[in-house]
Amino acid sequence: MPLSFADLFQRARGGDAVALGELLENYRAYLRILAQRGLDQRLQVRVDASDVVQQTFLESQRDIQRFRGESEPELIGWLRTILEHNVHETRQRHLGAQKRSLARERSMDDTGGEGIPLRNRLSSEQSSPSQRVMRGEAAVRLARALEGLPHDQREAVRLRHLEGCNLKEIAAAMERSELAVAGLLKRGLKKLREHFC
């Protein structure tokens, strides 16, 4: 029988590296989705989101004794903060080193290839702490369910429903026909519904 969050958490805080590894593994899929969203397409060619997640895990293992929270939502928030810092550092390292150019300036309505205008991404991040916690818990459950999908279905669902891409954009990104992408989406969503029902 798997250990509860409270048991894993207490063991991890007590220095049990195996318990900490098991605890962190519960959030890998969720953090990978966040990392993918934070790394634009230019960066995803050079940096894998899994590498940013791994860096986040290494830092959380190093700093777990300094974490003052007691609940799963607090841990999720702490991990998300570390990840966001790592994504920012990665962006700075890979893109910030380039000289500024007016050609690279973006308006607030520009999607930057991410499917969602910058204005909408920024305003969607402004919410109350309790709203963010509830979304965080639901997002962890969704990420776990997405992890169970075959790779192509998972990628199609991620691009459509998390990144807001249309069929044409997904087809181009996945190098598939729009009909094939529609089939991947249909099968992926059906499996997700079955998972949550």
Side-chain angles (χ1 to χ4, degrees):
M1 180 172 156
L3 294 174
S4 69
F5 168 81
D7 289 336
L8 279 174
F9 183 68
Q10 289 308 317
R11 288 181 183 191
R13 294 287 288 275
D16 184 336
V18 173
L20 180 57
E22 286 180 41
L23 184 65
L24 293 175
E25 198 58 40
N26 288 323
Y27 309 106
R28 182 178 296 276
Y30 169 65
L31 294 172
R32 185 173 28 244
I33 288 171
L34 292 179
Q36 287 173 326
R37 292 195 76 193
L39 299 171
D40 64 28
Q41 291 176 344
R42 295 173 295 170
L43 277 176
Q44 288 182 24
V45 172
R46 293 190 269 171
V47 179
D48 188 64
S50 295
D51 294 337
V52 179
V53 172
Q54 192 60 35
Q55 180 65 32
T56 300
F57 283 174
L58 290 171
E59 291 176 19
S60 62
Q61 289 171 338
R62 180 192 69 206
D63 297 338
I64 190 69
Q65 298 304 320
R66 288 190 251 163
F67 174 63
R68 296 292 170 235
E70 296 292 329
S71 68
E72 187 173 25
E74 290 172 312
L75 179 65
I76 292 168
W78 183 64
L79 291 170
R80 191 173 50 238
T81 299
I82 296 170
L83 179 86
E84 288 168 357
H85 173 77
N86 288 334
V87 166
H88 175 75
E89 289 294 313
T90 300
R91 292 178 70 117
Q92 290 296 103
R93 190 168 48 252
H94 289 278
L95 299 176
Q98 298 173 1
K99 291 184 178 180
R100 276 183 78 94
S101 164
L102 290 177
R104 285 196 290 265
E105 292 293 324
R106 292 172 52 190
S107 79
M108 293 296 280
D109 295 317
D110 185 8
T111 65
E114 298 174 25
I116 302 169
L118 181 59
R119 178 185 322 278
N120 293 357
R121 289 197 313 269
L122 292 174
S123 65
S124 69
E125 294 169 4
Q126 297 173 352
S127 57
S128 74
S130 62
Q131 289 171 322
R132 286 192 299 272
V133 165
M134 288 186 302
R135 279 197 313 267
E137 291 171 346
V140 169
R141 288 192 301 275
L142 176 60
R144 286 180 189 152
L146 279 170
E147 215 38 41
L149 294 178
H151 174 74
D152 288 347
Q153 290 176 16
R154 179 174 60 241
E155 187 64 7
V157 169
R158 183 186 73 78
L159 289 170
R160 176 71 183 114
H161 295 286
L162 298 178
E163 300 300 331
C165 297
N166 62 37
L167 282 179
K168 185 176 183 176
E169 293 166 331
I170 299 169
M174 296 184 71
E175 298 178 347
R176 301 273 183 100
S177 70
E178 289 183 41
L179 186 59
V181 167
L184 289 170
L185 285 168
K186 182 178 179 181
R187 290 188 301 277
L189 291 173
K190 181 181 179 195
K191 287 182 181 176
L192 287 175
R193 279 189 208 96
E194 290 169 358
H195 177 83
F196 286 108
C197 290

